[in-house]
Amino acid sequence: QITLKESGPTLVKPTQTLTLTCTFSGFSLSTTGVGVGWIRQPPGKALEWLALIYWDDDKPYSPSLKSRLTITKDTSKNQVVLTMTNMDPVDTATYYCAHTEQLKNYAFDIWGQGTMVTVSS
Amino acid sequence: QSVLTQPPSASGTPGQRVTISCSGSSSNIGSQTVNWYQQLPETAPTLLIHSNNQRPSGVPDRFSGSKSGTSASLAISGLQSEDEADYYCAAWDDSLKGWVFGGGTKLTVL
């Protein structure tokens, strides 16, 4: 059974750096064809894809946020970490991590519960 | 402004069939497969349809997906009250080199 859980601060100040951790079980990020992505959703708004990391360490980023994002994986700990620099109140959102695999054409098939991050001074 | 365009709302009565459209371009829907996600109130999204028309295990066959050219559709037949949710389409965009989502459609069961 695949599960994912996001963790990190619930409140960050403007200009600070946000670090979110996705801890997962039920699969390995060293398995060919597997990946973990991050998607966010501002309150009352649509989903927005942020970044993705594959088993082979390929790391596509959202073009509009690429300069602020870094995604890394720790295969031994079954964790994926997303950092976002220079946080702004418009970055207030629920942040989700999700599993993806080649068998489903890399659709996000299993999602974490999400973690709400508020950006405010 | 989302890259993929969905109607903001849709509605139907129990038992009816409703469809939700998703319009894109040659760099996304026109050249890649489409996925659909369901988001029940106050919950995380779940995968409803992948690869245009494939249902993951556990998804009722009342849900179906299709694609033609640069547009895709999600159909829900035999509408039930528990189908009241937000629905999002998504596809990989070859130009942006990333995933793009629709703006979401809020489905109301009257």
Side-chain angles (χ1 to χ4, degrees), chain A residues 75-98:
Chain A
T75 306
S76 64
K77 292 183 179 179
N78 280 353
Q79 290 182 333
V80 170
V81 175
L82 181 76
T83 61
M84 181 180 291
T85 61
N86 194 24
M87 293 292 285
D88 183 272
V90 300
D91 297 314
T92 294
T94 297
Y95 288 75
Y96 298 99
C97 65

Side-chain angles (χ1 to χ4, degrees), chain B residues 8-100:
Chain B
S9 63
S11 63
T13 56
Q16 265 192 334
R17 182 178 187 269
V18 298
T19 60
I20 297 171
S21 62
C22 176
S23 177
S25 67
S26 59
S27 64
N28 42 67
I29 294 178
S31 56
Q32 297 290 336
T33 59
V34 178
N35 306 316
W36 289 90
Y37 299 90
Q38 179 190 57
Q39 188 175 30
L40 296 170
E42 306 302 320
T43 67
T46 60
L47 180 63
L48 197 60
I49 297 285
H50 70 88
S51 308
N52 301 329
N53 54 19
Q54 301 299 302
R55 284 186 309 277
S57 171
V59 173
D61 59 7
R62 302 187 295 106
F63 295 91
S64 62
S66 63
K67 187 185 99 166
S68 177
T70 59
S71 294
S73 291
L74 172 71
I76 309 171
S77 60
L79 197 61
Q80 299 180 5
S81 58
E82 55 261 41
D83 298 333
E84 194 159 280
D86 293 324
Y87 293 85
Y88 294 91
C89 58
W92 180 263
D93 191 291
D94 291 330
S95 296
L96 297 174
K97 292 186 171 35
W99 284 98
V100 291

Side-chain angles (χ1 to χ4, degrees), chain A residues 40-101:
Chain A
R40 71 178 179 180
Q41 184 174 36
K45 296 190 177 180
L47 301 170
E48 179 186 19
W49 172 74
L50 302 176
L52 184 51
I53 189 164
Y54 293 104
W55 81 100
D56 60 359
D57 215 38
D58 187 23
K59 306 171 188 180
Y61 291 98
S62 165
S64 62
L65 294 167
K66 185 173 184 175
S67 63
R68 298 174 53 205
L69 295 173
T70 303
I71 189 169
T72 60
K73 61 180 170 68
D74 187 329
T75 306
S76 64
K77 292 183 179 179
N78 280 353
Q79 290 182 333
V80 170
V81 175
L82 181 76
T83 61
M84 181 180 291
T85 61
N86 194 24
M87 293 292 285
D88 183 272
V90 300
D91 297 314
T92 294
T94 297
Y95 288 75
Y96 298 99
C97 65
H99 170 270
T100 184
E101 63 177 5

